[in-house]
Amino acid sequence: MNQLSAFAALGVIVSGLLAIFLSSKVFPSNETTGRFSTIDGLRGYLAFFVFLHHSCIWYFYLHTHSWEVPPSNLYTHFGQSSVAVFFMITGFLFFTKLFDAHEHPISWKKLYISRIFRIAPLYYFTIAVLLIIVAILSRGQLNGPLTDIRHEIWRWIQFTVFGAPNINGIEHTALIVAGVTWSIAYEWVFYLLLPLASLAFGLRPSKKALFVGILGLGIGISMHADLKLLGVFLSGLTAAALVRSDQFRAIAKRKISSLICILCVVMTVEFFDSAYYLLPTLLLTVSFSIIAGGNDLFGILSNSLSINLGRLSYSIYLMHGLLLFITFNFVLSPIDLLSYSSGQYWLIITAMAPVLIFISTLTFHFIEQPGLKFGVKLANKSK
């Protein structure tokens, strides 16, 4: 797999060019970037790196039938560090809301309505496709009691906060989506805990909101949530506190800060085989805080490629697992793939990259965006 880095770079370039073309030509957007534009520009790269991470895992899975982290720090961090930074982004955005809540009070009802319609439409589309694949693999037959199958599906409908069981006896059902739903479960636990977290900011959430917080605490305990992973969200709190300082934002935008940001990422990849230890998390926190403070990494995160790719990040995150599974089980022969060299394999992944961007563009514009707009409209109507 010594050609991984070259093919990964090529895949990024190909998918990025297509993202620009699709966004500006096929689906032109009049949307402006958000308050934290550099974070908007970062998201797409994170999602695409997760695609590369799972592509690498699939290469070894085809040979060993063992789903494990790649034997490469770089490709391990493409997945783990990207998810960690996604958690930091979530923490940053919502802790910022808590910081601002004294001047702009939070409507918990609106917040949860907007979150549901941000996450659920595309998620349930993904689950629908997963169930179709399960039905195909099962050849339309029930491999167990219907009540058990309903229970299995119900746990998937619950964002897999209580696990992602095999459905209808199909082993490794979670691999159909590359197992990405676990991070969505952690996101929901964080959202539910926010009313309790708001107490530390001197806020007084309603009794209903506090009940939601207690519910989130109970869910976190029942799912045996890893405290190290929940702790990554607190890195977002650190960044949210830092960017409130004009002095920090001024420092963050300097070119030397770009170099520090890159150096921290390089050190994380070079010296640690996991992103979830204390030191790599701290290094990633430094890098993320600099970006959150307005650093665009020499213009990379503020250009149209990055912004367009960022809009597709959630779709890329959910769609890439389906694409990999369908390609390696229905389009190509798993047996033939065993005879391919690593270079040939990564040529296939490179060819898949624009397909992923095309699919993600469609799901964003026809599922995500309508859901977002409806959620905003519904949230604004709520009292």
Side-chain angles (χ1 to χ4, degrees):
M1 297 291 281
N2 57 353
Q3 302 179 51
L4 288 181
S5 297
F7 280 108
L10 180 59
V12 171
I13 293 170
V14 171
S15 66
L17 291 174
L18 188 62
I20 293 175
F21 175 77
L22 289 173
S23 297
S24 62
K25 303 297 182 182
V26 181
F27 293 103
S29 176
N30 295 321
E31 297 178 12
T32 57
T33 57
R35 176 181 171 188
F36 303 105
S37 60
T38 50
I39 292 179
D40 294 335
L42 176 64
R43 296 177 193 266
Y45 293 106
L46 298 177
F48 194 79
F49 290 157
V50 174
F51 164 58
L52 293 176
H53 168 76
H54 286 132
S55 297
C56 186
I57 291 178
W58 260 105
Y59 176 84
F60 292 100
Y61 180 76
L62 290 167
H63 290 78
T64 66
H65 299 289
S66 179
W67 188 266
E68 297 178 349
V69 295
S72 158
N73 275 14
L74 176 62
Y75 279 81
T76 295
H77 284 285
F78 272 155
Q80 292 187 2
S81 290
S82 294
V83 171
V85 176
F86 269 131
F87 285 171
M88 291 179 191
I89 291 173
T90 296
F92 172 80
L93 294 175
F94 285 90
F95 283 126
T96 296
K97 288 181 181 292
L98 296 183
F99 274 123
D100 294 340
H102 292 287
E103 296 180 5
H104 305 284
I106 295 175
S107 169
W108 294 103
K109 185 176 181 179
K110 287 184 178 181
L111 185 148
Y112 288 117
I113 288 174
S114 65
R115 283 295 88 192
I116 288 171
F117 284 94
R118 173 68 182 93
I119 295 173
L122 185 61
Y123 177 83
Y124 288 131
F125 172 79
T126 303
I127 299 307
V129 177
L130 177 144
L131 292 176
I132 292 172
I133 293 173
V134 167
I136 293 172
L137 296 175
S138 305
R139 298 182 179 179
Q141 298 178 349
L142 295 179
N143 296 327
L146 185 58
T147 52
D148 289 350
I149 296 172
R150 286 174 177 171
H151 178 68
E152 292 159 2
I153 294 173
W154 176 239
R155 287 171 68 180
W156 280 86
I157 289 174
Q158 294 175 300
F159 300 99
T160 67
V161 293
F162 300 113
N166 294 330
I167 300 176
N168 197 29
I170 298 301
E171 293 187 2
H172 309 301
T173 298
L175 298 193
I176 296 174
V177 291
V180 297
T181 58
W182 74 268
S183 63
I184 297 176
Y186 271 84
E187 292 265 349
W188 272 115
V189 170
F190 174 78
Y191 298 144
L192 295 176
L193 287 173
L194 279 172
L196 294 182
S198 71
L199 295 173
F201 288 77
L203 304 177
R204 294 184 178 181
S206 65
K207 292 181 179 179
K208 290 182 179 179
L210 285 175
F211 174 78
V212 170
I214 295 171
L215 177 64
L217 183 62
I219 291 174
I221 293 172
S222 64
M223 67 182 273
H224 305 291
D226 191 330
L227 293 179
K228 293 196 303 294
L229 294 173
L230 288 176
V232 176
F233 288 96
L234 295 179
S235 295
L237 171 61
T238 301
L242 287 172
V243 302
R244 301 181 76 79
S245 164
D246 294 336
Q247 184 178 7
F248 176 81
R249 292 199 303 275
I251 294 173
K253 292 177 182 179
R254 295 177 182 174
K255 291 183 178 180
I256 186 64
S257 296
S258 298
L259 295 176
I260 293 172
C261 179
I262 294 170
L263 178 62
C264 286
V265 172
V266 171
M267 290 174 62
T268 300
V269 173
E270 182 67 25
F271 298 116
F272 301 98
D273 59 7
S274 173
Y276 303 130
Y277 302 137
L278 178 60
L279 286 179
T281 297
L282 290 175
L283 289 170
L284 291 173
T285 300
V286 172
S287 291
F288 173 69
S289 298
I290 289 171
I291 292 172
N295 190 295
D296 62 4
L297 295 183
F298 304 107
I300 293 173
L301 300 183
S302 58
N303 64 33
S304 59
L305 162 64
S306 303
I307 299 302
N308 286 326
L309 199 61
R311 291 192 179 102
L312 306 181
S313 59
Y314 185 48
S315 280
I316 293 171
Y317 190 72
L318 284 183
M319 291 296 105
H320 80 269
L322 291 172
L323 179 61
L324 287 166
F325 187 89
I326 291 170
T327 300
F328 295 145
N329 286 273
F330 300 119
V331 179
L332 301 175
S333 168
I335 296 177
D336 291 341
L337 284 166
L338 293 176
S339 65
Y340 289 3
S341 68
S342 61
Q344 290 172 317
Y345 176 84
W346 282 96
L347 280 174
I348 293 170
I349 298 300
T350 301
M352 288 170 61
V355 178
L356 174 61
I357 297 299
F358 176 70
I359 293 171
S360 299
T361 300
L362 294 179
T363 54
F364 172 76
H365 285 279
F366 294 110
I367 299 176
E368 272 194 79
Q369 202 167 48
L372 280 166
K373 291 180 178 179
F374 181 80
V376 171
K377 183 177 180 180
L378 188 63
N380 289 333
K381 286 184 178 180
S382 65
K383 296 182 180 179

